[in-house]
Amino acid sequence: MATDPETTGDDPLGSPKMGLALSGGGFRASIFHLGVIRRLEELGLMKDIAVISAVSGGSIIAAYYVTEMEIRLRSKRDELTKNPDLIDQVRLSVFDSIATDFFTALDHNLRSRALVFSPFYHPIGFLKSLRPGYSRSDLMRAEYDYWLYRNNTLDQLPSVTKSTDNESLYNKAGPKLILNTTSLMTGERRSFSRQPESGLNDQMTVNGNALLLSQIVGASACVPGLFPPVPVSGELLVDGGVSDNQGIEALIENDCDILLVSDASGQMEQVDRQSSSTASVVGRTMSILQFQVRNKLLDLLIRWRELSGNREFAFIHLFMNLKDRPDVPRVPSEFIPGIARIRTDLDQFSFIEREALMYHGYTLIDAQIATYCPNLKTQSCAATPMGCPRLFSETGPQNGAVAEKRARIKTVLKAGQQKVFLARSIMKHGLKALLVVILTWLAPLGAFYFLWANKHIDILTERIGMPVLGWINGMIPDWVTFLFSEGLGFLNWPITPHGFTVLLVLGLLTYGLLFLSYLIMRRLARRWDINQYRTLTGEKPLPPQW
């Protein structure tokens, strides 16, 4: 369902039409964009955004934010009707509640639940995924639905029809949200948004608004190779970042006059050495292709501005450093490489990682608007001072020096690049985390030794190993058996029932102890993260009320 031309037009007073682009980059991008949205809410600009174009991680937060903002503003109807001037203050309060709930969802480790340990969290879904027609993408969609979108459809996105009465305070038109994907069938960008469905002509078209938000967001964040393509309306869709990871094209197509672009995608970095292995070369080649696509989109953005003197844009990205602007709040330069290289994951992020990403986006968008869209900031609530989280204040806690505080933050950010949760926990918390992992592994290994020493393996071989192995051998073609027994006899094919049972038990125990380690470490790591944050700042982690 391609986006239709914007039906609402510009503001009746002739104000410029603003668009916000939220790039891909997993939950790293979602959190970075939250910092951007926070500052836009403080400036009073977010409520005037006409179009949001989102990709992948940007789609995750954009779909959640705009639907929740509309729902929660409706609950403030009476308050806003009596005091219309409170709209900016109320929106900031609602932002804090949305951000808190979003982080609560992230704390449940969506990717681990849907992919790594799906047999424990989704036993029925896991069994269904073993057959055609149901995949890891469906498991991830179930997680999105449960924690974020609650089976909402595209129809739950805000209306794009302007209201002229007081109701517009809590049911303000828009923003029009565009969720971008890429079609594997045509190679083109495919965009989805809520379409008007109140006129007679609308009844003569297929109701695309019935599509689940989780399905479209899942397609927009469907990283090729990690997730199977998502079938929607006769097409196979993958990550929108394949065609436009910044979300710029959709804003230009919707005739926006001012573009605010938040880019939390990874940037290709120069390397001194490059492996010649096939996997390494393919990975580097994909990075180059994405780098070239990104550059062409930035060229498009510059040409778009040059075509009219009334157009403006503010562009920010993770590696942007404001050290040449000493008069503006900013993240210290030494932290920026660590922030920019944090994993693009769909899993839990620590309090320090969250605050670093949010504050970076928060300061960058303010500085770039002031530099490249000065009229926009002058017209907004520019008097609203910027906040600064205690994590980045120079005062520091009473019980530690600022230098030690900064060194610890850098260690956490470096560990944040590690995608494996257990390894990341060990990097952050050291010996105590390693000890927990070792102890959780010893118990299942001890159980296996007990089974082996007491001949229980022989019983399992007779009751489980032999029937299962017989079924497997019956499924293997004779030529495969011949190949392994004659051509590759040193592999001792076919495997004996006893050996198969040993491998099966070891495999299940290994998987089980990994899950056990994960459960224990997840609870302990969260407690350690809280204590670590309190040590560095002197206070308990709170919603981002800077």
Side-chain angles (χ1 to χ4, degrees), residues 215-237:
Q215 183 182 19
I216 304 304
V217 170
S220 181
C222 181
V223 179
L226 181 60
F227 296 103
V230 177
V232 178
S233 302
E235 293 202 71
L236 290 178
L237 303 178

Side-chain angles (χ1 to χ4, degrees), residues 247-305:
I248 294 172
E249 287 184 321
L251 295 184
I252 294 177
E253 291 174 359
N254 278 264
D255 300 321
C256 293
D257 303 302
I258 297 178
L259 306 187
L260 308 178
V261 183
S262 177
D263 184 8
S265 62
Q267 294 189 38
M268 193 178 77
E269 301 180 54
Q270 181 176 325
V271 296
D272 296 326
R273 297 179 182 179
Q274 174 61 45
S275 171
S276 58
S277 67
T278 301
S280 181
V281 171
V282 170
R284 185 64 175 176
T285 301
M286 293 303 297
S287 296
I288 294 172
L289 289 174
Q290 283 291 300
F291 175 71
Q292 295 298 335
V293 170
R294 183 177 185 271
N295 284 347
K296 292 184 184 302
L297 287 167
L298 295 184
D299 287 340
L300 174 65
L301 188 60
I302 293 172
R303 291 198 303 272
W304 166 84
R305 181 180 61 184

Side-chain angles (χ1 to χ4, degrees), residues 447-511:
F448 177 78
Y449 178 77
F450 174 81
L451 292 174
W452 181 277
N454 291 276
K455 307 298 182 180
H456 291 299
I457 292 293
D458 296 334
I459 299 174
L460 292 175
T461 298
E462 180 180 352
R463 296 183 179 180
I464 299 176
M466 292 180 66
V468 174
L469 187 58
W471 176 79
I472 293 176
N473 284 333
M475 299 290 291
I476 298 175
D478 293 339
W479 67 269
V480 175
T481 303
F482 176 81
L483 174 65
F484 277 85
S485 60
E486 299 297 331
L488 300 172
F490 64 91
L491 292 179
N492 192 28
W493 182 276
I495 191 171
T496 65
H498 185 78
F500 171 79
T501 305
V502 170
L503 291 176
L504 180 63
V505 172
L506 276 176
L508 292 176
L509 281 175
T510 300
Y511 186 59

